[in-house]
Amino acid sequence: MSTSITRRTAAAALGLATALVLAACGNPDDGGTTEVAATSGGKTKINISPDQNRITTGKVDSIAAEVPEKIRKRGTLELVSSSGSAAPLTFFATDNKTVIGVEPDIASLVADVLGLKPHINSVSWENIFVGLDSAKYDVGFSNITVTEERKEKYDFATYREDNLGFEAKKGSGFKVTGPEDVAGKTVAVGSGTNQEKLLIEWSKENEKAGRKPVNIKYYQNDSDTYLALQSGRIDLYLGPNPTAAYHAATTGKTEVVGTYSGAGATLQGLIAATTKKDSGLVKPLTDALNHVIDNGTYAKVLKRWGLSDEAVTKSEINPPGLPRINK
């Protein structure tokens, strides 16, 4: 992807405003699908059944040889993702137990290149990092944003753009383009996420400017958040834009009223495979990701989930991330 400030500023301002148009709910007569319409006018049916028939690719011996010996001998790549249901990123299929989504699909492609069997572990968000710290898991594929703070403890291999979405009750009349639009509003956000960090920064900016701060709320799960949104207990929910767009389209009860780069106003946020710092995995992960980008299987996976507009042209190791103090 381009690294110019102009490119990043435009992405930060527009986010995914023209990225996804999601329509229709699962069709039981079609084996369990959700239809995704791209801005090009075409439509893609997302398979939400447990029979995924994932896109695969072949092992690349030279890249597989870069994997630390302990992992090569084990033969599995221990993947970790959040247990929260966040379609189309990571969620449960129609059997309510098979983990599916763009994140496990990309992780599986990487495992293919490395000649390893992918083993997905679903845990709470905070336990992703606990498990990486203890080396219980090799790598996190869970819509994890590169941040300068996280780079102290983790290595990153990027694979998607990161854009956030403000979701409101349909017909709310809200429009969010900057901090002033959330002044005095009650906004739900996930604890420990870069969304929370950005929202806190915006709240501080509002106070410095003499505006009301943001009333930030936290809920245990998405269902509680959306119940609060529908009942009017919160005005907005800030989360990953793909999940916001997906939820708005499949329920018809909410709408995305603003998007923003996950790294702030001057930097395009990036999602990355996350591994413990100096684990020896970041180079093979990056090389594997660049291989699937080059051979076209990466693009097929993104298209399959309606996320082609979040594609990157190459995977990078530890690029600039969300600043400690977002200015």
Side-chain angles (χ1 to χ4, degrees):
M1 62 176 267
S2 168
T3 56
S4 69
I5 294 298
T6 301
R7 163 73 172 81
R8 284 171 169 169
T9 303
L14 297 175
L16 288 183
T18 59
L20 295 178
V21 182
L22 299 167
C25 295
N27 180 357
D29 297 328
D30 210 10
T33 64
T34 293
E35 199 167 63
V36 181
T39 50
S40 62
K43 292 184 178 181
T44 301
K45 283 187 177 180
I46 291 179
N47 175 11
I48 57 174
S49 77
D51 301 318
Q52 282 293 288
N53 298 316
R54 283 193 171 109
I55 294 163
T56 61
T57 194
K59 178 183 178 183
V60 178
D61 291 337
S62 60
I63 300 176
E66 298 171 359
V67 175
E69 184 179 6
K70 180 181 178 181
I71 297 174
R72 291 203 313 269
K73 286 184 175 179
R74 185 208 302 149
T76 61
L77 187 64
E78 292 297 324
L79 305 164
V80 63
S81 66
S82 175
S83 56
S85 184
L89 301 174
T90 303
F91 62 114
F92 292 108
T94 51
D95 65 353
N96 290 319
K97 62 181 181 180
T98 303
V99 178
I100 63 173
V102 70
E103 301 286 78
D105 273 15
I106 292 176
S108 294
L109 274 184
V110 168
D112 286 346
V113 175
L114 301 180
L116 300 169
K117 183 178 180 181
H119 181 225
I120 300 173
N121 301 273
S122 296
V123 300
S124 62
W125 172 257
E126 64 275 11
N127 280 320
I128 291 175
F129 300 97
V130 172
L132 290 173
D133 291 344
S134 66
K136 183 177 182 179
Y137 312 121
D138 299 320
V139 56
F141 277 86
S142 193
N143 203 56
I144 302 171
T145 303
V146 180
T147 75
E148 291 303 305
E149 184 176 359
R150 288 173 183 164
K151 280 163 64 177
E152 289 185 357
K153 295 179 67 176
Y154 308 101
D155 284 321
F156 294 94
T158 59
Y159 61 87
R160 265 196 311 107
E161 289 190 353
D162 173 35
N163 293 288
L164 310 179
F166 286 90
E167 194 174 357
K169 188 175 181 179
K170 196 164 186 177
S172 68
F174 294 140
K175 184 177 181 181
V176 180
T177 60
E180 64 278 6
D181 297 316
V182 294
K185 298 284 193 303
T186 302
V187 185
V189 72
S191 178
T193 63
N194 71 308
Q195 297 96 280
E196 178 193 32
K197 183 176 175 66
L198 281 167
L199 196 58
I200 289 171
E201 291 294 337
W202 279 19
S203 187
K204 290 178 180 177
E205 285 184 43
N206 282 331
E207 289 189 276
K208 287 179 182 178
R211 298 186 291 261
K212 291 182 179 180
V214 181
N215 182 19
I216 301 174
K217 295 291 186 182
Y218 302 92
Y219 293 91
Q220 290 295 319
N221 52 59
D222 286 349
S223 60
D224 289 341
T225 301
Y226 288 124
L227 184 61
L229 194 62
Q230 287 302 312
S231 66
R233 284 180 285 130
I234 60 174
D235 300 306
L236 298 159
Y237 171 46
L238 175 59
N241 188 63
T243 63
Y246 188 100
H247 179 264
T250 55
T251 65
K253 295 180 179 180
T254 62
E255 59 187 344
V256 176
V257 296
T259 57
Y260 205 74
S261 165
T266 59
L267 186 69
Q268 173 59 57
L270 293 169
I271 299 298
T274 306
T275 184
K276 187 177 181 180
K277 200 159 196 70
D278 300 322
S279 68
L281 262 180
V282 72
K283 186 177 187 303
L285 288 170
T286 304
D287 289 346
L289 284 162
N290 279 320
H291 177 75
V292 298
I293 288 170
D294 291 342
N295 74 9
T297 52
Y298 164 82
K300 289 179 181 178
V301 166
L302 290 186
K303 182 178 180 181
R304 182 184 186 212
W305 294 102
L307 297 176
S308 295
D309 285 347
E310 290 199 345
V312 295
T313 57
K314 69 174 182 177
S315 176
E316 300 175 88
I317 294 175
N318 296 332
L322 176 68
R324 296 179 193 283
I325 299 176
N326 190 38
K327 296 182 180 179

